[in-house]
PDB file of all heavy atoms in Angstrom:
ATOM      1  N   VAL E 187     -12.656 110.619 -63.689  1.00 98.00           N
ATOM      2  CA  VAL E 187     -11.681 109.960 -64.642  1.00 98.00           C
ATOM      3  C   VAL E 187     -11.063 110.980 -65.427  1.00 98.00           C
ATOM      4  O   VAL E 187     -11.634 111.624 -66.277  1.00 98.00           O
ATOM      5  CB  VAL E 187     -12.488 109.000 -65.511  1.00 98.00           C
ATOM      6  CG1 VAL E 187     -11.572 108.249 -66.523  1.00 98.00           C
ATOM      7  CG2 VAL E 187     -13.253 107.950 -64.676  1.00 98.00           C
ATOM      8  N   GLY E 188      -9.753 111.286 -65.183  1.00 98.00           N
ATOM      9  CA  GLY E 188      -9.018 112.332 -65.861  1.00 98.00           C
ATOM     10  C   GLY E 188      -8.522 113.418 -64.804  1.00 98.00           C
ATOM     11  O   GLY E 188      -9.399 114.109 -64.348  1.00 98.00           O
ATOM     12  N   GLY E 189      -7.261 113.499 -64.607  1.00 97.00           N
ATOM     13  CA  GLY E 189      -6.780 114.367 -63.534  1.00 97.00           C
ATOM     14  C   GLY E 189      -6.135 115.516 -64.093  1.00 97.00           C
ATOM     15  O   GLY E 189      -5.092 115.999 -63.391  1.00 97.00           O
ATOM     16  N   GLY E 190      -6.457 116.118 -65.167  1.00 95.00           N
ATOM     17  CA  GLY E 190      -5.972 117.374 -65.669  1.00 95.00           C
ATOM     18  C   GLY E 190      -6.560 118.513 -64.891  1.00 95.00           C
ATOM     19  O   GLY E 190      -7.147 118.278 -63.837  1.00 95.00           O
ATOM     20  N   PRO E 191      -6.429 119.780 -65.318  1.00 97.00           N
ATOM     21  CA  PRO E 191      -6.862 120.973 -64.565  1.00 97.00           C
ATOM     22  C   PRO E 191      -8.373 120.849 -64.233  1.00 97.00           C
ATOM     23  O   PRO E 191      -8.760 121.076 -63.074  1.00 97.00           O
ATOM     24  CB  PRO E 191      -6.642 122.141 -65.427  1.00 97.00           C
ATOM     25  CG  PRO E 191      -5.313 121.626 -66.241  1.00 97.00           C
ATOM     26  CD  PRO E 191      -5.613 120.290 -66.476  1.00 97.00           C
ATOM     27  N   VAL E 192      -9.226 120.569 -65.161  1.00 98.00           N
ATOM     28  CA  VAL E 192     -10.657 120.553 -64.829  1.00 98.00           C
ATOM     29  C   VAL E 192     -11.049 119.322 -64.070  1.00 98.00           C
ATOM     30  O   VAL E 192     -11.832 119.439 -63.113  1.00 98.00           O
ATOM     31  CB  VAL E 192     -11.434 120.551 -66.228  1.00 98.00           C
ATOM     32  CG1 VAL E 192     -12.939 120.216 -65.966  1.00 98.00           C
ATOM     33  CG2 VAL E 192     -11.325 121.857 -66.944  1.00 98.00           C
ATOM     34  N   GLY E 193     -10.429 118.168 -64.214  1.00 98.00           N
ATOM     35  CA  GLY E 193     -10.583 117.017 -63.461  1.00 98.00           C
ATOM     36  C   GLY E 193     -10.293 117.268 -61.986  1.00 98.00           C
ATOM     37  O   GLY E 193     -11.017 116.882 -61.013  1.00 98.00           O
ATOM     38  N   ILE E 194      -9.116 117.872 -61.726  1.00 98.00           N
ATOM     39  CA  ILE E 194      -8.716 118.193 -60.358  1.00 98.00           C
ATOM     40  C   ILE E 194      -9.702 119.169 -59.811  1.00 98.00           C
ATOM     41  O   ILE E 194     -10.155 119.140 -58.603  1.00 98.00           O
ATOM     42  CB  ILE E 194      -7.347 118.691 -60.342  1.00 98.00           C
ATOM     43  CG1 ILE E 194      -6.257 117.720 -60.707  1.00 98.00           C
ATOM     44  CG2 ILE E 194      -7.017 119.323 -58.872  1.00 98.00           C
ATOM     45  CD1 ILE E 194      -6.289 116.432 -59.681  1.00 98.00           C
ATOM     46  N   LEU E 195     -10.138 120.309 -60.492  1.00 98.00           N
ATOM     47  CA  LEU E 195     -11.076 121.230 -60.013  1.00 98.00           C
ATOM     48  C   LEU E 195     -12.402 120.511 -59.623  1.00 98.00           C
ATOM     49  O   LEU E 195     -13.012 120.888 -58.609  1.00 98.00           O
ATOM     50  CB  LEU E 195     -11.248 122.287 -61.081  1.00 98.00           C
ATOM     51  CG  LEU E 195     -10.113 123.282 -61.102  1.00 98.00           C
ATOM     52  CD1 LEU E 195     -10.286 124.183 -62.348  1.00 98.00           C
ATOM     53  CD2 LEU E 195      -9.921 124.158 -59.885  1.00 98.00           C
ATOM     54  N   ILE E 196     -12.907 119.615 -60.468  1.00 99.00           N
ATOM     55  CA  ILE E 196     -14.106 118.958 -60.199  1.00 99.00           C
ATOM     56  C   ILE E 196     -13.869 118.082 -58.963  1.00 99.00           C
ATOM     57  O   ILE E 196     -14.770 118.066 -57.998  1.00 99.00           O
ATOM     58  CB  ILE E 196     -14.454 117.969 -61.377  1.00 99.00           C
ATOM     59  CG1 ILE E 196     -15.018 118.751 -62.515  1.00 99.00           C
ATOM     60  CG2 ILE E 196     -15.585 116.901 -60.919  1.00 99.00           C
ATOM     61  CD1 ILE E 196     -15.177 117.965 -63.800  1.00 99.00           C
ATOM     62  N   ALA E 197     -12.838 117.481 -58.756  1.00 99.00           N
ATOM     63  CA  ALA E 197     -12.598 116.590 -57.552  1.00 99.00           C
ATOM     64  C   ALA E 197     -12.595 117.538 -56.330  1.00 99.00           C
ATOM     65  O   ALA E 197     -13.265 117.192 -55.243  1.00 99.00           O
ATOM     66  CB  ALA E 197     -11.221 115.906 -57.621  1.00 99.00           C
ATOM     67  N   LEU E 198     -11.999 118.753 -56.366  1.00 98.00           N
ATOM     68  CA  LEU E 198     -11.958 119.648 -55.219  1.00 98.00           C
ATOM     69  C   LEU E 198     -13.310 120.214 -54.892  1.00 98.00           C
ATOM     70  O   LEU E 198     -13.754 120.346 -53.726  1.00 98.00           O
ATOM     71  CB  LEU E 198     -10.965 120.763 -55.571  1.00 98.00           C
ATOM     72  CG  LEU E 198      -9.529 120.376 -55.582  1.00 98.00           C
ATOM     73  CD1 LEU E 198      -8.673 121.487 -56.081  1.00 98.00           C
ATOM     74  CD2 LEU E 198      -9.008 119.941 -54.339  1.00 98.00           C
ATOM     75  N   VAL E 199     -14.074 120.517 -55.965  1.00 99.00           N
ATOM     76  CA  VAL E 199     -15.493 121.059 -55.778  1.00 99.00           C
ATOM     77  C   VAL E 199     -16.346 120.072 -55.133  1.00 99.00           C
ATOM     78  O   VAL E 199     -17.120 120.284 -54.231  1.00 99.00           O
ATOM     79  CB  VAL E 199     -16.030 121.694 -57.004  1.00 99.00           C
ATOM     80  CG1 VAL E 199     -17.539 122.101 -56.891  1.00 99.00           C
ATOM     81  CG2 VAL E 199     -15.216 122.880 -57.481  1.00 99.00           C
ATOM     82  N   ALA E 200     -16.227 118.789 -55.757  1.00 99.00           N
ATOM     83  CA  ALA E 200     -17.027 117.684 -55.172  1.00 99.00           C
ATOM     84  C   ALA E 200     -16.587 117.396 -53.717  1.00 99.00           C
ATOM     85  O   ALA E 200     -17.548 117.122 -52.916  1.00 99.00           O
ATOM     86  CB  ALA E 200     -16.830 116.394 -56.043  1.00 99.00           C
ATOM     87  N   ARG E 201     -15.393 117.443 -53.361  1.00 98.00           N
ATOM     88  CA  ARG E 201     -15.006 117.276 -52.022  1.00 98.00           C
ATOM     89  C   ARG E 201     -15.592 118.383 -51.086  1.00 98.00           C
ATOM     90  O   ARG E 201     -16.030 118.054 -49.939  1.00 98.00           O
ATOM     91  CB  ARG E 201     -13.471 117.230 -51.936  1.00 98.00           C
ATOM     92  CG  ARG E 201     -13.005 116.924 -50.468  1.00 98.00           C
ATOM     93  CD  ARG E 201     -11.520 116.854 -50.439  1.00 98.00           C
ATOM     94  NE  ARG E 201     -10.703 118.081 -50.648  1.00 98.00           N
ATOM     95  CZ  ARG E 201      -9.446 118.139 -50.742  1.00 98.00           C
ATOM     96  NH1 ARG E 201      -8.689 117.159 -50.573  1.00 98.00           N
ATOM     97  NH2 ARG E 201      -8.858 119.351 -50.997  1.00 98.00           N
ATOM     98  N   ALA E 202     -15.573 119.571 -51.624  1.00 98.00           N
ATOM     99  CA  ALA E 202     -16.198 120.704 -50.822  1.00 98.00           C
ATOM    100  C   ALA E 202     -17.552 120.523 -50.554  1.00 98.00           C
ATOM    101  O   ALA E 202     -18.111 121.059 -49.657  1.00 98.00           O
ATOM    102  CB  ALA E 202     -15.921 122.051 -51.552  1.00 98.00           C
ATOM    103  N   ALA E 203     -18.300 119.779 -51.562  1.00 98.00           N
ATOM    104  CA  ALA E 203     -19.726 119.534 -51.379  1.00 98.00           C
ATOM    105  C   ALA E 203     -19.980 118.377 -50.380  1.00 98.00           C
ATOM    106  O   ALA E 203     -21.076 118.014 -50.177  1.00 98.00           O
ATOM    107  CB  ALA E 203     -20.331 119.220 -52.749  1.00 98.00           C
ATOM    108  N   GLY E 204     -18.872 117.720 -49.898  1.00 98.00           N
ATOM    109  CA  GLY E 204     -18.989 116.635 -48.876  1.00 98.00           C
ATOM    110  C   GLY E 204     -18.876 115.284 -49.469  1.00 98.00           C
ATOM    111  O   GLY E 204     -19.145 114.307 -48.716  1.00 98.00           O
ATOM    112  N   ALA E 205     -18.419 115.101 -50.699  1.00 99.00           N
ATOM    113  CA  ALA E 205     -18.318 113.819 -51.254  1.00 99.00           C
ATOM    114  C   ALA E 205     -17.033 113.279 -50.952  1.00 99.00           C
ATOM    115  O   ALA E 205     -15.995 113.943 -50.669  1.00 99.00           O
ATOM    116  CB  ALA E 205     -18.486 113.952 -52.814  1.00 99.00           C
ATOM    117  N   GLU E 206     -16.890 111.868 -51.021  1.00 98.00           N
ATOM    118  CA  GLU E 206     -15.589 111.233 -50.999  1.00 98.00           C
ATOM    119  C   GLU E 206     -15.152 110.984 -52.395  1.00 98.00           C
ATOM    120  O   GLU E 206     -15.921 110.493 -53.255  1.00 98.00           O
ATOM    121  CB  GLU E 206     -15.782 109.843 -50.301  1.00 98.00           C
ATOM    122  CG  GLU E 206     -16.148 109.955 -48.798  1.00 98.00           C
ATOM    123  CD  GLU E 206     -16.304 108.531 -48.144  1.00 98.00           C
ATOM    124  OE1 GLU E 206     -15.381 107.788 -48.374  1.00 98.00           O
ATOM    125  OE2 GLU E 206     -17.288 108.377 -47.513  1.00 98.00           O
ATOM    126  N   VAL E 207     -13.924 111.311 -52.857  1.00 98.00           N
ATOM    127  CA  VAL E 207     -13.539 111.432 -54.156  1.00 98.00           C
ATOM    128  C   VAL E 207     -12.264 110.543 -54.469  1.00 98.00           C
ATOM    129  O   VAL E 207     -11.357 110.498 -53.609  1.00 98.00           O
ATOM    130  CB  VAL E 207     -13.182 112.904 -54.574  1.00 98.00           C
ATOM    131  CG1 VAL E 207     -12.852 113.002 -56.020  1.00 98.00           C
ATOM    132  CG2 VAL E 207     -14.394 113.820 -54.273  1.00 98.00           C
ATOM    133  N   ARG E 208     -12.296 109.911 -55.674  1.00 99.00           N
ATOM    134  CA  ARG E 208     -11.107 109.263 -56.153  1.00 99.00           C
ATOM    135  C   ARG E 208     -10.876 109.773 -57.593  1.00 99.00           C
ATOM    136  O   ARG E 208     -11.773 109.994 -58.272  1.00 99.00           O
ATOM    137  CB  ARG E 208     -11.301 107.699 -56.163  1.00 99.00           C
ATOM    138  CG  ARG E 208     -11.589 107.014 -54.740  1.00 99.00           C
ATOM    139  CD  ARG E 208     -10.299 107.173 -53.922  1.00 99.00           C
ATOM    140  NE  ARG E 208     -10.488 106.498 -52.629  1.00 99.00           N
ATOM    141  CZ  ARG E 208     -11.003 107.008 -51.581  1.00 99.00           C
ATOM    142  NH1 ARG E 208     -11.281 108.344 -51.508  1.00 99.00           N
ATOM    143  NH2 ARG E 208     -11.117 106.386 -50.427  1.00 99.00           N
ATOM    144  N   VAL E 209      -9.583 109.971 -57.859  1.00 98.00           N
ATOM    145  CA  VAL E 209      -9.193 110.550 -59.152  1.00 98.00           C
ATOM    146  C   VAL E 209      -8.392 109.372 -59.931  1.00 98.00           C
ATOM    147  O   VAL E 209      -7.580 108.751 -59.309  1.00 98.00           O
ATOM    148  CB  VAL E 209      -8.302 111.764 -59.041  1.00 98.00           C
ATOM    149  CG1 VAL E 209      -7.769 112.202 -60.437  1.00 98.00           C
ATOM    150  CG2 VAL E 209      -8.994 112.846 -58.338  1.00 98.00           C
ATOM    151  N   VAL E 210      -8.792 109.247 -61.187  1.00 98.00           N
ATOM    152  CA  VAL E 210      -8.097 108.195 -62.056  1.00 98.00           C
ATOM    153  C   VAL E 210      -7.308 108.958 -63.123  1.00 98.00           C
ATOM    154  O   VAL E 210      -7.920 109.664 -63.856  1.00 98.00           O
ATOM    155  CB  VAL E 210      -9.254 107.285 -62.682  1.00 98.00           C
ATOM    156  CG1 VAL E 210      -8.561 106.197 -63.618  1.00 98.00           C
ATOM    157  CG2 VAL E 210     -10.071 106.528 -61.653  1.00 98.00           C
ATOM    158  N   GLU E 211      -6.038 108.749 -63.102  1.00 97.00           N
ATOM    159  CA  GLU E 211      -5.147 109.494 -64.009  1.00 97.00           C
ATOM    160  C   GLU E 211      -3.819 108.763 -64.322  1.00 97.00           C
ATOM    161  O   GLU E 211      -3.240 108.221 -63.423  1.00 97.00           O
ATOM    162  CB  GLU E 211      -4.790 110.838 -63.289  1.00 97.00           C
ATOM    163  CG  GLU E 211      -3.778 111.678 -63.989  1.00 97.00           C
ATOM    164  CD  GLU E 211      -4.092 112.048 -65.383  1.00 97.00           C
ATOM    165  OE1 GLU E 211      -5.220 112.404 -65.729  1.00 97.00           O
ATOM    166  OE2 GLU E 211      -3.138 111.864 -66.239  1.00 97.00           O
ATOM    167  N   LEU E 212      -3.486 108.765 -65.518  1.00 96.00           N
ATOM    168  CA  LEU E 212      -2.339 108.006 -66.003  1.00 96.00           C
ATOM    169  C   LEU E 212      -1.034 108.771 -65.624  1.00 96.00           C
ATOM    170  O   LEU E 212      -0.020 108.194 -65.294  1.00 96.00           O
ATOM    171  CB  LEU E 212      -2.286 107.866 -67.524  1.00 96.00           C
ATOM    172  CG  LEU E 212      -3.253 106.746 -68.088  1.00 96.00           C
ATOM    173  CD1 LEU E 212      -3.443 106.874 -69.590  1.00 96.00           C
ATOM    174  CD2 LEU E 212      -2.721 105.399 -67.799  1.00 96.00           C
ATOM    175  N   SER E 213      -0.991 110.117 -65.654  1.00 95.00           N
ATOM    176  CA  SER E 213       0.147 110.895 -65.394  1.00 95.00           C
ATOM    177  C   SER E 213       0.634 110.835 -63.972  1.00 95.00           C
ATOM    178  O   SER E 213      -0.104 111.238 -63.098  1.00 95.00           O
ATOM    179  CB  SER E 213      -0.102 112.323 -65.837  1.00 95.00           C
ATOM    180  OG  SER E 213       0.955 113.195 -65.362  1.00 95.00           O
ATOM    181  N   ALA E 214       1.849 110.433 -63.769  1.00 96.00           N
ATOM    182  CA  ALA E 214       2.377 110.415 -62.431  1.00 96.00           C
ATOM    183  C   ALA E 214       2.502 111.779 -61.787  1.00 96.00           C
ATOM    184  O   ALA E 214       2.249 111.991 -60.626  1.00 96.00           O
ATOM    185  CB  ALA E 214       3.766 109.786 -62.396  1.00 96.00           C
ATOM    186  N   HIS E 215       2.891 112.812 -62.611  1.00 95.00           N
ATOM    187  CA  HIS E 215       2.855 114.179 -62.114  1.00 95.00           C
ATOM    188  C   HIS E 215       1.555 114.599 -61.623  1.00 95.00           C
ATOM    189  O   HIS E 215       1.414 115.225 -60.565  1.00 95.00           O
ATOM    190  CB  HIS E 215       3.443 115.031 -63.247  1.00 95.00           C
ATOM    191  CG  HIS E 215       3.474 116.604 -62.885  1.00 95.00           C
ATOM    192  ND1 HIS E 215       4.430 117.167 -62.174  1.00 95.00           N
ATOM    193  CD2 HIS E 215       2.548 117.459 -63.144  1.00 95.00           C
ATOM    194  CE1 HIS E 215       4.139 118.435 -61.910  1.00 95.00           C
ATOM    195  NE2 HIS E 215       3.016 118.701 -62.568  1.00 95.00           N
ATOM    196  N   ARG E 216       0.484 114.349 -62.410  1.00 96.00           N
ATOM    197  CA  ARG E 216      -0.839 114.817 -61.993  1.00 96.00           C
ATOM    198  C   ARG E 216      -1.319 114.048 -60.835  1.00 96.00           C
ATOM    199  O   ARG E 216      -2.072 114.595 -59.997  1.00 96.00           O
ATOM    200  CB  ARG E 216      -1.750 114.732 -63.236  1.00 96.00           C
ATOM    201  CG  ARG E 216      -1.450 115.752 -64.285  1.00 96.00           C
ATOM    202  CD  ARG E 216      -2.335 115.683 -65.492  1.00 96.00           C
ATOM    203  NE  ARG E 216      -2.160 116.804 -66.349  1.00 96.00           N
ATOM    204  CZ  ARG E 216      -2.708 116.940 -67.503  1.00 96.00           C
ATOM    205  NH1 ARG E 216      -3.557 115.995 -67.964  1.00 96.00           N
ATOM    206  NH2 ARG E 216      -2.491 118.036 -68.304  1.00 96.00           N
ATOM    207  N   ARG E 217      -1.025 112.782 -60.742  1.00 97.00           N
ATOM    208  CA  ARG E 217      -1.444 111.990 -59.495  1.00 97.00           C
ATOM    209  C   ARG E 217      -0.727 112.654 -58.277  1.00 97.00           C
ATOM    210  O   ARG E 217      -1.417 112.649 -57.212  1.00 97.00           O
ATOM    211  CB  ARG E 217      -1.099 110.501 -59.643  1.00 97.00           C
ATOM    212  CG  ARG E 217      -1.954 109.789 -60.724  1.00 97.00           C
ATOM    213  CD  ARG E 217      -1.849 108.251 -60.556  1.00 97.00           C
ATOM    214  NE  ARG E 217      -0.443 107.753 -60.470  1.00 97.00           N
ATOM    215  CZ  ARG E 217       0.303 107.526 -61.548  1.00 97.00           C
ATOM    216  NH1 ARG E 217      -0.150 107.658 -62.737  1.00 97.00           N
ATOM    217  NH2 ARG E 217       1.457 107.045 -61.417  1.00 97.00           N
ATOM    218  N   LEU E 218       0.523 112.907 -58.403  1.00 97.00           N
ATOM    219  CA  LEU E 218       1.216 113.427 -57.310  1.00 97.00           C
ATOM    220  C   LEU E 218       0.662 114.736 -56.813  1.00 97.00           C
ATOM    221  O   LEU E 218       0.451 114.950 -55.558  1.00 97.00           O
ATOM    222  CB  LEU E 218       2.695 113.595 -57.603  1.00 97.00           C
ATOM    223  CG  LEU E 218       3.635 114.238 -56.504  1.00 97.00           C
ATOM    224  CD1 LEU E 218       3.563 113.333 -55.283  1.00 97.00           C
ATOM    225  CD2 LEU E 218       5.031 114.466 -57.016  1.00 97.00           C
ATOM    226  N   LEU E 219       0.232 115.558 -57.723  1.00 97.00           N
ATOM    227  CA  LEU E 219      -0.346 116.870 -57.358  1.00 97.00           C
ATOM    228  C   LEU E 219      -1.690 116.564 -56.735  1.00 97.00           C
ATOM    229  O   LEU E 219      -1.981 117.214 -55.641  1.00 97.00           O
ATOM    230  CB  LEU E 219      -0.591 117.785 -58.552  1.00 97.00           C
ATOM    231  CG  LEU E 219      -1.365 119.094 -58.392  1.00 97.00           C
ATOM    232  CD1 LEU E 219      -0.647 119.894 -57.284  1.00 97.00           C
ATOM    233  CD2 LEU E 219      -1.602 119.811 -59.683  1.00 97.00           C
ATOM    234  N   ALA E 220      -2.492 115.639 -57.284  1.00 98.00           N
ATOM    235  CA  ALA E 220      -3.790 115.318 -56.578  1.00 98.00           C
ATOM    236  C   ALA E 220      -3.636 114.861 -55.129  1.00 98.00           C
ATOM    237  O   ALA E 220      -4.287 115.306 -54.279  1.00 98.00           O
ATOM    238  CB  ALA E 220      -4.427 114.255 -57.451  1.00 98.00           C
ATOM    239  N   GLU E 221      -2.616 114.073 -54.920  1.00 98.00           N
ATOM    240  CA  GLU E 221      -2.314 113.596 -53.595  1.00 98.00           C
ATOM    241  C   GLU E 221      -1.794 114.590 -52.718  1.00 98.00           C
ATOM    242  O   GLU E 221      -2.179 114.670 -51.480  1.00 98.00           O
ATOM    243  CB  GLU E 221      -1.347 112.267 -53.733  1.00 98.00           C
ATOM    244  CG  GLU E 221      -1.978 111.067 -54.304  1.00 98.00           C
ATOM    245  CD  GLU E 221      -0.953 110.110 -54.777  1.00 98.00           C
ATOM    246  OE1 GLU E 221       0.297 110.304 -54.599  1.00 98.00           O
ATOM    247  OE2 GLU E 221      -1.326 109.026 -55.229  1.00 98.00           O
ATOM    248  N   GLU E 222      -1.105 115.489 -53.215  1.00 98.00           N
ATOM    249  CA  GLU E 222      -0.592 116.695 -52.410  1.00 98.00           C
ATOM    250  C   GLU E 222      -1.744 117.586 -51.979  1.00 98.00           C
ATOM    251  O   GLU E 222      -1.610 118.250 -50.917  1.00 98.00           O
ATOM    252  CB  GLU E 222       0.462 117.421 -53.201  1.00 98.00           C
ATOM    253  CG  GLU E 222       1.852 116.745 -53.297  1.00 98.00           C
ATOM    254  CD  GLU E 222       2.787 117.559 -54.256  1.00 98.00           C
ATOM    255  OE1 GLU E 222       2.338 118.450 -54.936  1.00 98.00           O
ATOM    256  OE2 GLU E 222       3.948 117.170 -54.246  1.00 98.00           O
ATOM    257  N   LEU E 223      -2.829 117.459 -52.756  1.00 98.00           N
ATOM    258  CA  LEU E 223      -3.998 118.318 -52.410  1.00 98.00           C
ATOM    259  C   LEU E 223      -4.898 117.532 -51.518  1.00 98.00           C
ATOM    260  O   LEU E 223      -6.091 117.945 -51.314  1.00 98.00           O
ATOM    261  CB  LEU E 223      -4.694 118.791 -53.726  1.00 98.00           C
ATOM    262  CG  LEU E 223      -3.899 119.682 -54.565  1.00 98.00           C
ATOM    263  CD1 LEU E 223      -4.626 120.063 -55.930  1.00 98.00           C
ATOM    264  CD2 LEU E 223      -3.624 120.998 -53.829  1.00 98.00           C
TER     265      LEU E 223
END
Side-chain angles (χ1 to χ4, degrees):
V187 182
V192 172
I194 293 296
L195 288 168
I196 289 171
L198 293 171
V199 173
R201 184 175 68 181
E206 297 180 45
V207 183
R208 299 293 185 267
V209 176
V210 179
E211 170 57 45
L212 285 167
S213 164
H215 174 80
R216 289 176 171 179
R217 289 198 310 275
L218 178 60
L219 175 61
E221 290 165 358
E222 289 174 348
L223 296 176

